[in-house]
Amino acid sequence: MLNREEEIQFEYIDKLKLIVEEKKKALGRALTCQVTTFGCQMNARDSEKLLGVLKTVGFEETDRDDADFVIYNTCTVRDNANQRVYGRLGALKPYKKNNSEMKIALCGCMTQEKSVIEKLKKSYNFVDLIFGTHNIFCFPKLLYRMYTEDKPVVEVWESTDVIAENLPVERKYPFKSGINIMFGCNNFCTYCIVPYVRGRERSRKPEEIIEEIRSLVADGVVEIMLLGQNVNSYGKNLETPVSFAELLRRVEEIEGLERIRFMTSHPKDLSDELIEVMKDSKKICRHIHLPLQSGSSRILKTMNRCYDKERYIDLALKIRREIPDISITTDIIVGFPGEEYSDVLETIDVIDRVRFDNAFTFIYSKRTGTPAARMENQVDEATVKKHFDMVLKKVQDTARKQLERFEGQVLTVLCEGVNEQDEAFLDGRTSGNTIVHFKGGRELIGKLVDVKLTDFHGFYYDGEII
Ligand code: 5AD
Ligand code: SF4
C-alpha cells in the first residue's frame, strides 16, 4: 500500500512520462540517462531507486557521459570522494555545451553540506538539480520541477520523518538486492560526517521490511542485504521496539529466500542474541563486517567508539568460537589525530589476533564540522603514509593466510555473473563473501551451486562445480 507521499510522487511520474514522450518526439530519438554511484551500499540502493524512476518515465540507461540526464549520487565520508565528484563534474561541462538537452543533477551525502552547495553555486553553476539524502524520495517531483522551471532547482532538507520505500526500483542484479532497514546514525564517532549528512537513526517497521523482502523474493531475489549505518541498534526507536536479532529471525522465515547478509555492525551494540541467531541460522551468511577503526584503546576513546581494544578482541574471538566458519572483515582508519607509532602497533596486534578475512584501510580524512577536525594534534602526511603502509601490509598478509583455509573445500556459491576476462567462466560468492571463478553457463546466474575451491589466487579462488 502506498502512503500519501508515495502517491504524490506517482502523480509526478505520470506528468514526467508526458514530458519525456514529448521530448522524444521533438528529438526523434530516445532520451538517455546515466546514474553514477559513489560510496557505500546504501548509496548503491538509492541509485537503484533513481534509475527506477528514470526508466519508468521513459529514459534509457547509458554509461556515456553525454547522456541527456546525468546524475551523481555522491559520498562525502572522505575528501577524495568529493574531489572525484568535482573532477567528473568539470569533465561534463563540454558535453553540456554540445547537447542543449543535457541536464546534470547531484544528490547524496555531499549535497547535505552547506559548503558544498556554496561551491557548486559558485563554480559549477551548470548543474541543473541538487537535492539531498532526506528528500531523495521526492526525485519525481524534483525532476518535474527541473524540466518545467527555467532556473536550477536546489532543495536540500535538514531532516525528515518520511519513509517512502515504495517507488519504482531498477535492481542492478535480478537475484540479489539491498534493503534499507534503518537510516541515519546516532553514534557521532568524532571523525565521521555521516550523522551530520544522514541524520538521526530511524528504523523501518519490521512488517514493512518483511513485506518488501517477500515481494523481492516473489520477483526472483534469493539473497538480500539488510542495510543500515549501524544495524545492531535497529528497532530501538520503534513504537514497539524490536531487536535486530528478532528481525533476522523473522526474515529467516521467508520462504524462497536463500541468503541473508547485513551491513554494518557496530561492535558496541553487537548482542549475544545476534550471535545465537546467526549460529542457528541456515540462511544468514557466514560473514560479519565489524569495523575496528583502531586497535588502540586511547585512540578509540577519542574516536568515541565506546569500546576498547580488549572488548573488541573478546567480541571477535567469541564470534569465531561460536561460529567457526565465519569470515570477519573490518574497516581501519590510519592517521587519526594524535595517533602515534605505538597506537599503530596496537592496531597491528588486533589484526594479528583477530585475523581479519579482509580489511578496508583508510587514511584519516579531515571532515569539516566533525570534532576530530578541530583536534590540534593532526598527524603529518609522511608519518601517516608510513603507518598506512605498515597496516596495509599486515592486513593483506593476514587476509591471504585466512582465505587459504578454504582451499580444497566444497562451498555453496551464488553465481553472480559472467567473468569479464573469460566468457566461459562465472563469478560467484561464497557465504563468507569470497569470490570464486568457475566454468559454467549463463543459465546458472542467480543460482546457488556447490563449488570446489581449487586454486587460491591471493584474494579469490578458481573452482569447479561439483
Ligand atoms: N576518514 C577516513 N575514514 C573514514 N571513515 C569514516 N569517516 C572517515 C574519515 N573521516 C571510514 C570508517 C568507516 C568507513 C565507512 O569509512 O572506517 O567504517
Ligand atoms: Fe560514522 Fe560511527 Fe555512525 Fe559509522 S557508526 S556511520 S563511523 S558515526
Side-chain angles (χ1 to χ4, degrees):
M1 237 187 33
L2 299 183
N3 64 34
R4 183 65 197 127
E5 282 303 334
E6 290 159 349
E7 279 170 8
I8 294 171
Q9 297 310 317
F10 272 105
E11 285 161 20
Y12 281 103
I13 286 178
D14 287 340
K15 292 183 187 177
L16 280 162
K17 280 182 184 166
L18 299 176
I19 293 180
V20 172
E21 198 48 47
E22 262 174 36
K23 284 189 179 292
K24 274 189 191 167
K25 271 199 201 121
L27 293 165
R29 61 170 176 83
L31 280 193
T32 56
C33 68
Q34 183 211 109
V35 179
T36 297
T37 313
F38 299 81
C40 66
Q41 303 277 351
M42 308 265 290
N43 267 19
R45 178 68 179 156
D46 282 347
S47 289
E48 293 185 345
K49 295 178 195 164
L50 298 170
L51 190 60
V53 169
L54 288 164
K55 281 202 153 176
T56 305
V57 303
F59 280 88
E60 282 179 13
E61 190 188 5
T62 174
D63 52 12
R64 292 173 60 112
D65 278 344
D66 60 357
D68 298 303
F69 181 73
V70 175
I71 182 160
Y72 291 162
N73 187 9
T74 62
C75 168
T76 188
V77 84
R78 285 170 293 276
D79 188 54
N80 53 5
N82 293 42
Q83 295 314 321
R84 286 211 335 266
V85 169
Y86 289 128
R88 293 270 306 250
L89 265 185
L92 282 185
K93 203 174 172 181
Y95 292 111
K96 194 162 176 175
K97 272 205 182 121
N98 290 333
N99 176 3
S100 59
E101 194 48 55
M102 186 171 179
K103 300 278 185 201
I104 299 173
L106 224 62
C107 66
C109 292
M110 231 176 113
T111 59
Q112 289 294 140
E113 286 180 89
K114 288 206 176 66
S115 58
V116 169
I117 300 294
E118 274 156 31
K119 181 165 174 161
L120 289 170
K121 280 187 177 161
K122 208 167 125 213
S123 311
Y124 299 84
N125 59 4
F126 53 92
V127 176
D128 303 281
L129 169 62
I130 299 173
F131 55 98
T133 56
H134 299 295
N135 59 342
I136 186 167
F137 72 90
C138 299
F139 181 49
K141 178 179 169 189
L142 294 163
L143 198 60
Y144 176 80
R145 282 186 52 199
M146 184 195 77
Y147 277 120
T148 52
E149 295 174 15
D150 51 9
K151 59 178 194 311
V153 176
V154 181
E155 195 177 306
V156 179
W157 297 358
E158 290 284 315
S159 66
T160 186
D161 294 332
V162 178
I163 294 182
E165 291 286 303
N166 290 310
L167 294 168
V169 175
E170 178 74 23
R171 286 199 310 277
K172 191 168 167 200
Y173 301 95
F175 52 87
K176 68 170 186 177
S177 177
I179 167 160
N180 294 315
I181 63 164
M182 60 191 302
F183 308 89
C185 181
N186 286 353
N187 291 315
F188 290 94
C189 302
T190 52
Y191 51 82
C192 187
I193 200 163
V194 167
Y196 306 89
V197 296
R198 288 268 177 184
R200 292 300 70 70
E201 254 172 48
R202 290 172 299 132
S203 297
R204 288 177 74 191
K205 293 200 186 94
E207 309 84 73
E208 282 174 20
I209 297 169
I210 301 290
E211 192 186 309
E212 188 176 341
I213 300 175
R214 277 192 208 287
S215 70
L216 286 168
V217 170
D219 197 34
V221 166
V222 292
E223 178 181 299
I224 50 142
M225 183 181 279
L226 306 175
L227 296 171
Q229 304 293 347
N230 177 11
V231 290
N232 297 112
S233 72
Y234 168 79
K236 288 186 180 152
N237 57 359
L238 284 171
E239 252 172 59
T240 323
V242 177
S243 70
F244 179 55
E246 177 55 28
L247 176 72
L248 282 173
R249 266 193 212 107
R250 296 195 203 169
V251 173
E252 172 106 17
E253 282 166 18
I254 298 175
E255 229 166 278
L257 180 66
E258 307 266 6
R259 275 182 168 185
I260 305 165
R261 296 186 186 277
F262 54 85
M263 183 92 109
T264 286
S265 291
H266 194 307
K268 81 174 165 63
D269 296 314
L270 198 144
S271 65
D272 287 349
E273 190 194 3
L274 175 65
I275 300 177
E276 281 306 308
V277 170
M278 286 187 81
K279 203 167 126 179
D280 296 340
S281 169
K282 301 221 164 18
K283 297 185 179 173
I284 302 173
C285 287
R286 286 341 201 195
H287 174 214
I288 191 153
H289 186 66
L290 196 63
L292 166 69
Q293 312 301 5
S294 167
S296 155
S297 295
R298 192 177 69 87
I299 295 294
L300 285 168
K301 197 162 187 244
T302 47
M303 282 179 163
N304 191 31
R305 289 292 288 176
C306 306
Y307 55 84
D308 62 11
K309 178 184 175 186
E310 293 311 320
R311 197 173 141 206
Y312 185 94
I313 294 175
D314 287 350
L315 175 64
L317 296 186
K318 178 157 69 178
I319 297 171
R320 283 217 188 280
R321 217 171 33 244
E322 296 292 325
I323 316 168
D325 55 345
I326 198 131
S327 292
I328 303 181
T329 59
T330 203
D331 292 339
I332 295 170
I333 298 176
V334 178
F336 184 83
E339 187 179 64
E340 292 173 7
Y341 182 67
S342 59
D343 299 305
V344 179
L345 293 182
E346 300 274 9
T347 300
I348 288 178
D349 185 41
V350 178
I351 302 169
D352 262 334
R353 288 160 68 180
V354 174
R355 294 172 286 114
F356 294 110
D357 295 81
N358 196 8
F360 300 97
T361 312
F362 306 109
I363 288 182
Y364 166 72
S365 170
K366 197 171 170 177
R367 311 311 291 130
T368 310
T370 60
R374 294 188 292 272
M375 292 178 186
E376 273 165 17
N377 43 0
Q378 306 283 326
V379 187
D380 70 90
E381 234 175 83
T383 309
V384 175
K385 180 78 182 66
K386 204 173 75 201
H387 291 167
F388 178 81
D389 290 345
M390 279 168 61
V391 173
L392 188 66
K393 169 128 192 11
K394 186 79 213 173
V395 151
Q396 285 172 342
D397 291 349
T398 313
R400 177 181 259 277
K401 280 201 205 98
Q402 271 299 103
L403 290 184
E404 255 171 17
R405 74 188 188 283
F406 297 124
E407 188 148 349
Q409 291 189 16
V410 176
L411 296 174
T412 304
V413 166
L414 176 62
C415 306
E416 300 202 332
V418 174
N419 184 269
E420 273 187 15
Q421 266 85 46
D422 188 340
E423 277 201 5
F425 281 76
L426 297 176
D427 294 341
R429 270 172 208 273
T430 66
S431 171
N433 218 27
T434 304
I435 295 171
V436 189
H437 302 321
F438 50 97
K439 236 187 190 140
R442 280 166 197 266
E443 69 287 354
L444 292 177
I445 294 174
K447 304 259 179 330
L448 289 153
V449 293
D450 286 340
V451 177
K452 182 168 184 178
L453 275 53
T454 50
D455 301 295
F456 182 49
H457 294 280
F459 66 97
Y460 73 92
Y461 271 94
D462 282 339
E464 285 160 13
I465 296 186
I466 295 294

